[in-house]
Amino acid sequence: MPQNGKSVPKSSFEKLFSQEEANHLLPRLEILMRQLQMQATSLRERVEELSVDDPSIVHSEFSEIVARYPELRSFTASMSDAAGQIEALGCILKDIDLGLIDFPFDSGDEIVFLCWQSGEPAVMAWHSIDSGFSERQPLPGAPKTYLN
């Protein structure tokens, strides 16, 4: 794994994962990610419906929209709960729509992120702390068919 001269202190993360620990969490993370994605879709659909009668919300901050339409709080509360459960496991939720979750990992040389996308059968890639999904690299022995 990389040796780019930049290192992140191990204490920057509450938990560092092994590949096996990350893989062990995937069934639970898959469920939580699907809940998040379904709630996000429902929330977007409801905001779109509301915008028909109130076109001003298209240009409003999200917090203003929720304040104006309290019915949206159930969506945001559910999403916040699922995201909180992911983060409580020590994982980093990167993108709901793409289903991306990172796991801090000690590569021996530096701290990097193991990277998983919802639907992948296992954690098979990593990327540096400063990069993201588009720059992920295969873990040793991982098939490259799942990368990017």
Side-chain angles (χ1 to χ4, degrees):
M1 293 212 191
Q3 295 179 356
N4 64 8
K6 294 180 184 178
S7 66
V8 176
K10 293 177 184 181
S11 62
S12 296
F13 299 99
E14 289 183 28
K15 174 157 182 56
L16 296 176
F17 290 85
S18 68
Q19 187 176 355
E20 295 75 25
E21 289 172 319
N23 282 329
H24 180 74
L25 293 176
L26 296 187
R28 178 74 183 132
L29 292 171
E30 192 74 62
I31 291 167
L32 290 168
M33 185 61 75
R34 286 184 193 201
Q35 289 174 351
L36 271 168
Q37 290 171 331
M38 288 177 8
Q39 289 297 314
T41 298
S42 296
L43 177 61
R44 287 186 193 110
E45 289 171 354
R46 184 63 189 130
V47 169
E48 189 174 319
E49 291 168 4
L50 291 168
S51 72
V52 171
D53 293 327
D54 182 0
S56 70
I57 67 173
V58 173
H59 303 290
S60 299
E61 292 291 325
F62 185 70
S63 59
E64 294 171 27
I65 298 169
V66 174
R68 206 176 322 167
Y69 296 97
E71 69 188 73
L72 300 176
R73 289 185 188 142
S74 64
F75 296 109
T76 60
S78 175
M79 291 175 69
S80 179
D81 179 61
Q85 288 183 56
I86 291 169
E87 292 175 358
L89 294 170
C91 307
I92 300 167
L93 176 62
K94 288 297 196 108
D95 189 296
I96 294 171
D97 293 328
L98 294 176
L100 298 179
I101 294 178
D102 285 346
F103 305 84
F105 173 75
D106 185 352
S107 72
D109 298 320
E110 66 181 303
I111 303 300
V112 298
F113 286 144
L114 296 177
C115 180
W116 174 73
Q117 184 172 30
S118 182
E120 291 177 340
V123 174
M124 296 179 278
W126 67 273
H127 60 79
S128 73
I129 300 280
D130 297 328
S131 66
F133 180 76
S134 65
E135 296 179 40
R136 65 188 196 152
Q137 303 295 314
L139 289 167
K144 294 181 183 178
T145 55
Y146 284 97
L147 293 182
N148 307 355

